[in-house]
């Protein structure tokens, strides 16, 4: 499929090649790397049902490593739209932008966060909630959980900023450094392995420019398993309560 997509791109078409994220990353990595990216073509890779949203498809079809794989491909833009409003706007932008794009797409379990007609800029994080005590940087399925955690923190007198980092690569360094400088504590939350995903990308920025206390919410270097999404979110520590606990830990370290 990705070989055909490469050929279509050479002929001037704009192919959107869609399959499960486990196949679009693990199985087809060499074809995407060599036939598409190395050749500097214009192919849009859509990987659906990422992380725990693979649900009853089971551990073999549950990619916790797809963004990490794609991060290592030169020139690849990586996007994880939050809801149906964002995907409408993002797909139009991606179609108009030449180059390799990986869109990590939740099909059935996305919570609506944005109002109809909202627009977004690829490469720029969205501030969903301002705060001064710490910043929660989330992507994909974990954005709604981050907002819920911020409300729990507010009830405890803690002001939490929430950033939706829907572009993993190129990541918004300016937003990360502003958050680090102003709140002095960071929590990342992702439906992905904490290795090579959002947490790693944010840690790289902080490590090079402005180290502050940081906690990462995500899958702890494990394989997936069969189960309903709500069970899997609890099983792998991706809920608002897990984010709340990480926030409390990072605030202790900050103080």
């Amino acid at each position: 499929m990705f070989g055909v997509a490469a050929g279509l791109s050479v002929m001037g078409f704009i192919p959107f090649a869609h399959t499960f994220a486990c196949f679009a990353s693990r199985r087809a990595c060499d074809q995407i790397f060599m036939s598409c990216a190395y050749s500097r073509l214009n192919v849009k890779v859509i990987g659906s049902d990422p992380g725990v949203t693979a649900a009853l498809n089971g551990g073999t079809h549950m990619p916790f490593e797809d963004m990490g794989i794609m991060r290592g491909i030169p020139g690849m833009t990586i996007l994880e739209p939050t809801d149906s409003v964002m995907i409408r706007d993002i797909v139009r932008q991606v179609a108009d932008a030449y180059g390799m794009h990986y869109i990590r797409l939740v099909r059935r379990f996305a919570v609506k966060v944005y109002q109809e007609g909202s627009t977004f800029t690829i490469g720029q994080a969205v501030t969903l909630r301002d705060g001064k005590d710490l910043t929660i940087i989330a992507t994909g399925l974990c954005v709604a959980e981050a907002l819920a955690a911020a409300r729990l923190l507010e009830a405890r007198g803690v002001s939490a900023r929430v950033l939706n980092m829907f572009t993993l690569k190129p990541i918004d360094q300016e937003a990360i450094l502003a958050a680090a400088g102003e709140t002095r504590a960071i929590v990342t939350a992702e439906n992905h392995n904490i290795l090579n995903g959002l947490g790693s990308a944010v840690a790289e920025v902080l490590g090079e420019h402005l180290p502050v206390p940081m906690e990462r919410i995500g899958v702890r270097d494990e394989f997936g398993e069969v189960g309903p999404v709500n069970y899997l979110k609890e099983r792998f520590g991706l809920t608002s309560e897990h984010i709340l606990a990480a926030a409390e830990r990072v605030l202790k370290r900050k103080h």
Side-chain angles (χ1 to χ4, degrees):
M1 182 174 68
F2 289 106
V4 171
L8 288 169
S9 177
V10 168
M11 297 305 295
F13 293 95
I14 306 173
F16 281 73
H18 167 238
T19 184
F20 292 109
C22 56
F23 302 147
S25 56
R26 296 198 301 260
R27 182 161 297 185
C29 180
D30 191 57
Q31 284 71 28
I32 292 169
F33 189 104
M34 294 301 300
S35 298
C36 302
Y38 188 80
S39 301
R40 293 173 172 80
L41 297 182
N42 186 29
V43 176
K44 319 306 176 183
V45 181
I46 314 296
S48 65
D49 297 66
V52 297
T53 67
L56 301 180
N57 290 328
T60 58
H61 287 53
M62 194 164 289
F64 293 143
E65 65 293 309
D66 55 311
M67 290 197 294
I69 292 170
M70 292 298 176
R71 268 186 87 207
I73 299 179
M76 181 72 76
T77 296
I78 303 173
L79 303 161
E80 186 168 23
T82 310
D83 61 12
S84 58
V85 175
M86 181 179 278
I87 190 64
R88 288 191 194 101
D89 185 54
I90 291 300
V91 165
R92 294 188 185 100
Q93 294 184 54
V94 166
D96 291 336
Y98 188 92
M100 296 297 301
H101 292 76
Y102 178 62
I103 300 178
R104 190 178 202 243
L105 186 62
V106 173
R107 292 191 302 166
R108 294 171 291 163
F109 303 104
V111 176
K112 189 171 182 180
V113 172
Y114 295 103
Q115 294 182 348
E116 295 293 337
S118 298
T119 59
F120 310 89
T121 301
I122 292 173
Q124 290 186 13
V126 180
T127 302
L128 291 171
R129 184 183 178 116
D130 206 1
K132 59 182 177 60
D133 294 324
L134 79 153
T135 300
I136 305 170
I137 302 176
T139 186
L141 190 74
C142 288
V143 171
E145 297 293 335
L147 288 169
R151 292 190 291 270
L152 294 173
L153 287 163
E154 183 179 35
R156 303 183 183 200
V158 176
S159 172
R161 181 179 305 183
V162 178
L163 299 181
N164 179 3
M165 194 65 70
F166 70 92
T167 310
L168 182 68
K169 182 184 176 185
I171 200 161
D172 189 348
Q173 292 195 34
E174 184 177 338
I176 295 169
L177 294 176
E182 293 162 13
T183 69
R184 309 299 298 180
I186 302 288
V187 174
T188 60
E190 60 192 307
N191 174 31
H192 188 272
N193 198 326
I194 59 168
L195 305 177
N196 303 323
L198 175 67
S200 291
V202 171
E204 289 163 11
V205 174
L206 297 178
E208 289 183 351
H209 300 284
L210 185 59
V212 298
M214 176 184 174
E215 293 280 340
R216 292 178 294 167
I217 290 294
V219 178
R220 300 278 165 173
D221 200 25
E222 294 184 79
F223 294 111
E225 64 181 62
V226 176
V229 169
N230 286 338
Y231 160 76
L232 293 169
K233 284 162 64 177
E234 185 69 36
R235 160 69 177 82
F236 290 106
L238 308 180
T239 69
S240 59
E241 292 290 344
H242 291 95
I243 297 173
L244 172 66
E248 291 175 336
R249 290 195 300 270
V250 84
L251 286 171
K252 288 181 181 178
R253 293 170 56 198
K254 172 184 174 180
H255 295 309

